[in-house]
Amino acid sequence: DAAEYVASIVCKDDPSFKDVRVVSILESSMRKVSDKYCPDAARVGFFSDLPQGGLTDGFPILVATEASLELLNQKLKKKGKDSISMSRFRPNIVIGGSNKAFDEDKWKAIKIGRGKDAVILHLVKGCPRCKQSCTDQLTGERGEEPVATLSEFRALGRGEEDVYFAQNAVLNGDSYNKVIQVGDPV
């Protein structure tokens, strides 16, 4: 079966992966991003359709900065807790070189790459963090961090449970079928 085949490849090099599942989504059940947050420039096709979200929570791309993670880890260390890796937040794109933590909160759009091959991303909405980020992917252990510490300085919603890290993004309508690479200028 498909899961066994994928597991035989993935688990060969890393025995910490013990349980692998294969998932897919039917084309007929594709989720579109929220009309409320999608700028007109991100709409696609002749009829200006909303972009698809696929297997993501609501948006196809998550953008985070190294500076934001550095600040969070400084706060965790001050509390005597271990730092965490960026993988806890599962971003698609991580941007370095930003001097100020959570600068991405103010960005409306970013350009990645150069010239006609550059990709434009619209940063449309902060990403509320759930308990998923409190799970260590290697051990499966769950704790209160990083949500507990984030709630001390990133509770931007209606309640303390609404804490944010990273920005949800959508491609500009003309950026489909373009490629970005590690190291591209932003």
Side-chain angles (χ1 to χ4, degrees), residues 1-40:
D1 107 309
E4 288 177 15
Y5 174 73
V6 172
S8 72
I9 295 169
V10 173
C11 300
K12 181 175 26 172
D13 294 330
D14 190 346
S16 66
F17 287 108
K18 296 179 182 138
D19 192 18
V20 175
R21 297 283 184 251
V22 176
V23 295
S24 66
I25 189 165
L26 297 172
E27 190 172 332
S28 62
S29 63
M30 285 289 188
R31 293 184 290 172
K32 306 261 183 198
V33 301
S34 171
D35 186 38
K36 178 179 178 181
Y37 298 104
C38 186
D40 288 342

Side-chain angles (χ1 to χ4, degrees), residues 50-110:
L50 291 168
Q52 295 180 347
L55 289 171
T56 60
D57 286 341
F59 296 90
I61 302 168
L62 185 64
V63 177
T65 63
E66 290 175 346
S68 298
L69 181 65
E70 288 171 16
L71 178 63
L72 172 59
N73 279 331
Q74 288 171 8
K75 292 181 178 289
L76 287 168
K77 286 179 184 176
K78 282 184 184 175
K79 294 168 74 175
K81 302 195 176 193
D82 292 333
S83 61
I84 62 169
S85 70
M86 186 65 85
S87 66
R88 286 281 191 100
F89 298 103
R90 304 170 318 281
N92 307 87
I93 298 172
V94 178
I95 299 173
S98 174
N99 294 327
K100 187 174 178 197
F102 301 102
D103 239 3
E104 63 271 27
D105 291 352
K106 299 175 197 148
W107 301 343
K108 297 293 182 200
I110 58 173

Side-chain angles (χ1 to χ4, degrees), residues 86-144:
M86 186 65 85
S87 66
R88 286 281 191 100
F89 298 103
R90 304 170 318 281
N92 307 87
I93 298 172
V94 178
I95 299 173
S98 174
N99 294 327
K100 187 174 178 197
F102 301 102
D103 239 3
E104 63 271 27
D105 291 352
K106 299 175 197 148
W107 301 343
K108 297 293 182 200
I110 58 173
K111 176 178 156 183
I112 302 175
R114 291 187 175 90
K116 65 179 177 48
D117 294 326
V119 170
I120 304 292
L121 295 178
H122 298 275
L123 281 67
V124 295
K125 180 181 181 296
C127 185
R129 304 319 306 198
C130 64
K131 286 295 206 177
Q132 181 86 21
S133 61
C134 296
T135 302
D136 183 315
Q137 295 102 326
L138 295 177
T139 65
E141 293 177 21
R142 293 185 94 176
E144 296 300 314

